Amino acid sequence: MSELNKEVVDLVWGRPSSGGVSASIFRRWTQGFVFCENEQTALEQFEGGPCAVIAPVQAFLLKNILFNRESSNWRQMTEEEQKTALCSTLSEILESACSSPSTGFCLVTWAKGQSPHTTTQTQSQMQDMAAPESSQPPQEQQPTALAVEVLGFERFHSVLHKRTGMSVSGLREEVLSLYHTWRGCCGVLLFLYSVILTKGIENIRNEIQDTMEPLIDPVHGHGSQSLVNLLVSGHAVSNVWDGDRECSGMKLHGIHKQASVGFLTLMESLRYCKVGAFLKSPKFPIWILGSETHLSVFFTKEMSLVGPESPSEQARRVFQSYDPEDNGFIPESLLGRDR
């Protein structure tokens, strides 16, 4: 495993013990972006864990389908329209994560001649493949996941290849050309690694509140809030409030501008966190909803439910930046800094 791959592994998976990353957790993440057969604008998730990537992609995908596509029936899409919408969405998220367009983008894919064959598919897909009239090449199939026994954790990281230095137009062309890679086995992980290397490992470490916390929990396999925020806002901050706050002399980073799609969580009702207006009132009425164990997406076409930040919301946000513990007042010591 190259030194760069090791850095990515440490950031994403943490520093696993001698036993390495759990085979069952890695297997859960080895799926592609697969459209549901019955809901043509919906992405399928087959096992717990990758919703931290799939849900943000689904949210941006719906944004592009509902508000950027000239069609009255948002639930009907041809395969070519699915291809265009998915690749446009992946490009948009990569562009948002890019710290500086001058540094270019990075796409992680299979090394030449190393693309693995899919061995695990849904029952219906296996039946289709068994049909004698099926002449679709392997890379054209819609795999769900690759058995970890065939492509283990170490093997996966040994057959990766990265492409760098693309312009925005070049990025979109490359993403489109890799459509079958994104929908094939490990497409979710390949895209996640692409976002991380486009953003820059050091940039992500500077934004994460706890650098010892991996983006994917090594015990339960779920994605961290930093991972969700990276895909939603382009910044891997650990908090969901507006702006930065200072608490006991430590600066805690939050969301710095109105997001295109929002985020809500049941944890707020339990007072474990507080979601700011930048995520509660995004540019488009689409929200990722976090529960104790899963991320879902809900949406509407009613634009009146969202809007730019009002003067009162702006005043409340500025006040809270001086009142990080929600005491309802600003300490005199903080006011003194601006005298």
Side-chain angles (χ1 to χ4, degrees), residues 96-274:
S96 173
C98 185
S99 299
S100 172
S102 61
T103 61
F105 302 89
C106 180
L107 293 177
V108 177
T109 182
W110 304 115
K112 187 175 182 181
Q114 297 295 321
S115 177
H117 295 291
T118 302
T119 61
T120 302
Q121 286 136 330
T122 61
Q123 188 64 33
S124 62
Q125 289 166 341
M126 292 177 70
Q127 291 172 351
D128 290 342
M129 289 179 65
E133 64 271 16
S134 176
S135 59
Q136 198 176 19
Q139 68 270 21
E140 299 280 333
Q141 303 288 348
Q142 280 203 11
T144 64
L146 188 73
V148 73
E149 292 81 8
V150 177
L151 185 71
F153 185 81
E154 297 291 336
R155 173 64 176 163
F156 169 75
H157 289 92
S158 70
V159 294
L160 298 183
H161 170 73
K162 66 172 186 172
R163 308 182 189 182
T164 58
M166 292 158 280
S167 63
V168 172
S169 59
L171 169 72
R172 293 173 181 172
E173 291 177 4
E174 286 286 341
V175 169
L176 193 62
S177 71
L178 292 170
Y179 174 62
H180 294 295
T181 298
W182 309 127
R183 70 201 286 262
C185 68
C186 301
V188 168
L189 278 178
L190 294 175
F191 176 67
L192 172 58
Y193 282 25
S194 298
V195 171
I196 289 171
L197 292 181
T198 293
K199 174 72 177 181
I201 294 174
E202 195 59 34
N203 290 329
I204 293 177
R205 285 176 176 159
N206 290 335
E207 292 176 349
I208 291 178
Q209 188 170 304
D210 182 1
T211 56
M212 298 303 293
E213 178 190 4
L215 296 180
I216 296 176
D217 182 83
V219 177
H220 304 289
H222 57 71
S224 69
Q225 187 65 52
S226 294
L227 171 53
V228 176
N229 286 347
L230 173 62
L231 296 171
V232 169
S233 70
H235 297 280
V237 295
S238 304
N239 303 296
V240 290
W241 56 58
D242 293 338
D244 296 336
R245 295 189 181 187
E246 188 170 314
C247 184
S248 301
M250 182 170 59
K251 194 171 187 178
L252 306 177
H253 300 293
I255 306 298
H256 279 262
K257 62 179 181 179
Q258 185 184 30
S260 293
V261 299
F263 177 83
L264 300 172
T265 173
L266 295 178
M267 296 298 101
E268 184 171 18
S269 65
L270 302 175
R271 299 184 65 83
Y272 284 119
C273 67
K274 187 169 185 177

